[in-house]
Amino acid sequence: MTAGVRALDVRPPVAARRRRTLSASVLLGLAGFDVGIVLALGLARASVDLPQPGGLALWLGRVTGLLAEVLVLGQLLLSARVPLLERAAGQDQLLRWHRTLAPAALACVLLHPLLLVVSYSASGGGGLWSELWTTGRSYLGASVGAVLFLTMGTVSVKQIRARMPYESWYVLHLTAYAAVALAFGHQLSAGSEVLHGTVVRVWWIGQLVVVIAAIVLFRVLLPALTSFRHQVRVEGVDRHAGDVISVRLSGRDLERLGARGGQFFVWRFLTPRDWWRAHPFSLSMAPQEGGLRFTAREIGGGSRALSRLRPGTRVVVEGPYGVLTDGARTRDRALLIGAGLGIAPMRSLLADLPRDLDTVVVHRAPVRASAVLHDELEQLAATRTRTKVHLVSGPRGNHGDPNRPLSRSHLHRLVPDLRARDVYVCGPPGLAGPLLAELRGMGVPPRQVHVESFEL
């Protein structure tokens, strides 16, 4: 190693940030354009629909139907693992946007048939319940699609989702594809009054084709091709303290996967019982260290099955995903904060950062015995020239206590120059939210804070 070469590595990768900003701007522009076309189609029908009996309900019903399809397709695109979108925002942010769109999409799915039923009743039909029953039977496919959407929305409510096994929630969520197909076919057949003209119908069909193609390409074909090319297999399973395990994987030319420390993959293990399960876990070892490894806690049926994996088990991988990498850095100093198993991506990120980068690692754990991977952090720090590792253990303390772990005063004592650093944060939502508030209170610019939360 020469000091001159490594000094170049310490410089913040500004070009990567600019590419992400440009990609995000293009994404927002396209989304606005798509919604704008729907509103334009609605305005074009206003003069025809509004003068009729029940015209306002009819017009709003048509607009909400179009918006429902666009919003749901947007949700599917955000979860399609498109590399351009991943680089623009990171999977964590994309899923937050996905959840943010959900209430509006569900509201449109629900309002569309209800408003149309109101308009049919006002224009001389039967009562509301009679019209609802007649409309539901007349458009049976669309009705089934609406029920599927509402079911997904119900099970995705945070309080309900927390009580469900991940596997059950995942299977129910897959019904979104059937619901989209049913709703799309209904709109092409029943919505001809709005979706008329070759250009409009090509646009409407084209957006569905683009989204479905992205899902098939990036969530099915490319993972299958990548896994076949690299022959990823389980090498072994290591048990840590308590219920934490690490799964080591080997394969052919794994460095060509392009993974960086701090990123994650979605893993599928091809065993008779578990081939259908998708496991999103962060790397706990940087790829250049040899092989791949992730660290997980056995908290459910899927994760408990990991300890039963046998060496040689074939693995299908999706990824790498995430922007919690050196590419997000804006300064020549870094602070890495990991809580619980949030320390896993911090450990791989540390190994991937320039070796002479001024780096501080804060490892939060309830007790020293539960501080998984801490020995590895200290070993890595010993091979680097300017790295310090702090273990913060003990109870959380009261919110108003200024001396509680990871409070402003505590962070300032550990890292006096915190505002001059990029801050990487990973851990459960209960830690990430309050910690981000503390960082804002300390005046850390948002562009220097990079976070990934363990929340589906």
Side-chain angles (χ1 to χ4, degrees):
M1 179 185 75
T2 63
V5 173
R6 294 303 298 174
L8 293 175
D9 292 337
V10 175
R11 296 185 302 175
V14 177
R17 294 201 320 278
R18 289 175 177 170
R19 287 195 298 270
R20 289 197 299 271
T21 301
L22 177 61
S23 299
S25 300
V26 171
L27 174 62
L28 291 174
L30 291 174
F33 177 76
D34 209 24
V35 173
I37 291 180
V38 169
L39 295 178
L41 290 172
L43 290 174
R45 290 291 308 178
S47 60
V48 178
D49 292 340
L50 292 178
Q52 303 179 39
L56 179 59
L58 176 63
W59 180 72
L60 289 174
R62 285 174 168 166
V63 171
T64 52
L66 295 176
L67 280 175
E69 187 77 7
V70 167
L71 291 173
V72 170
L73 287 179
Q75 284 188 284
L76 292 179
L77 187 62
L78 289 171
S79 61
R81 311 276 167 79
V82 180
L84 175 64
L85 304 186
E86 290 281 344
R87 290 192 294 268
Q91 184 65 17
D92 204 42
Q93 180 61 61
L94 292 176
L95 290 180
R96 280 196 289 272
W97 289 341
H98 173 91
R99 289 191 293 268
T100 300
L101 284 178
L106 287 171
C108 288
V109 168
L110 184 61
L111 287 172
H112 169 62
L114 295 180
L115 287 167
L116 291 180
V117 164
V118 169
S119 73
Y120 298 155
S121 180
S123 62
L128 290 177
W129 289 109
S130 174
E131 284 294 334
L132 183 62
W133 175 253
T134 301
T135 302
R137 291 198 326 177
S138 301
Y139 302 107
L140 186 57
S143 300
V144 172
V147 170
L148 291 176
F149 277 127
L150 293 175
T151 301
M152 284 187 299
T154 301
V155 301
S156 295
V157 172
K158 190 173 183 179
Q159 292 78 2
I160 298 176
R161 166 70 187 92
R163 297 175 178 272
M164 289 185 66
Y166 171 75
E167 293 78 11
S168 301
W169 174 86
Y170 178 76
V171 170
L172 283 173
H173 228 61
L174 290 178
T175 60
Y177 303 118
V180 167
L182 291 169
F184 190 85
H186 160 71
Q187 287 186 336
L188 284 181
S189 61
S192 57
E193 293 185 28
V194 177
L195 298 173
H196 58 81
T198 302
V199 174
V200 172
R201 293 179 76 84
V202 167
W203 161 73
W204 194 253
I205 294 173
Q207 64 178 355
L208 177 69
V209 170
V210 168
V211 171
I212 296 302
I215 293 170
V216 172
L217 177 62
F218 297 115
R219 300 205 64 171
V220 180
L221 296 181
L222 283 184
L225 179 61
T226 297
S227 303
F228 176 77
R229 177 188 302 162
H230 294 284
Q231 296 292 303
V232 183
R233 298 176 183 271
V234 173
E235 186 177 87
V237 178
D238 303 317
R239 181 166 291 280
H240 301 282
D243 55 356
V244 178
I245 61 171
S246 285
V247 178
R248 291 177 284 109
L249 304 112
S250 60
R252 185 171 58 197
D253 298 327
L254 294 182
E255 68 280 358
R256 294 192 177 183
L257 286 170
R260 302 289 303 272
Q263 291 189 303
F264 71 95
F265 285 85
V266 177
W267 317 85
R268 294 178 187 272
F269 299 94
L270 302 185
T271 65
R273 287 195 299 179
D274 301 312
W275 62 269
W276 59 276
R277 300 180 194 265
H279 303 274
F281 290 125
S282 298
L283 294 173
S284 60
M285 179 179 289
Q288 67 267 28
E289 296 180 82
L292 300 175
R293 186 188 72 177
F294 67 83
T295 302
R297 175 168 281 113
E298 298 176 290
I299 56 175
S303 55
R304 280 194 293 269
L306 298 175
S307 61
R308 301 193 298 266
L309 290 173
R310 296 180 178 275
T313 300
R314 295 288 297 270
V315 186
V316 175
V317 297
E318 294 180 46
Y321 302 125
V323 293
L324 204 70
T325 68
D326 184 40
R329 186 165 49 87
T330 66
R331 309 300 293 267
D332 59 359
R333 284 175 277 184
L335 167 62
L336 280 54
I337 305 177
L341 285 187
I343 201 62
M346 297 295 100
R347 187 256 178 244
S348 65
L349 174 59
L350 177 63
D352 201 30
L353 291 174
R355 299 184 66 156
D356 56 349
L357 180 71
D358 186 339
T359 307
V360 176
V361 182
V362 175
H363 185 183
R364 176 75 174 103
V367 295
R368 175 64 179 85
S370 66
V372 177
L373 305 179
H374 190 74
D375 291 342
E376 294 187 18
L377 289 172
E378 292 183 331
Q379 292 167 10
L380 277 173
T383 67
R384 301 165 61 86
T385 57
R386 304 167 66 195
T387 297
K388 297 179 181 178
V389 178
H390 300 287
L391 176 62
V392 177
S393 58
R396 293 184 179 183
N398 297 322
H399 181 70
D401 182 2
N403 296 314
R404 72 186 187 282
L406 303 187
S407 65
R408 295 183 198 181
S409 59
H410 186 215
L411 287 170
H412 182 73
R413 289 196 302 271
L414 291 176
V415 195
D417 61 345
L418 187 149
R419 285 186 291 181
R421 296 176 179 269
D422 276 282
V423 184
Y424 293 83
V425 178
C426 190
L431 170 124
L435 182 55
L436 292 177
E438 298 286 14
L439 294 173
R440 285 193 297 269
M442 297 176 72
V444 181
R447 66 180 179 276
Q448 291 173 216
V449 179
H450 319 287
V451 61
E452 189 163 280
S453 176
F454 287 173
E455 184 176 28
L456 292 172

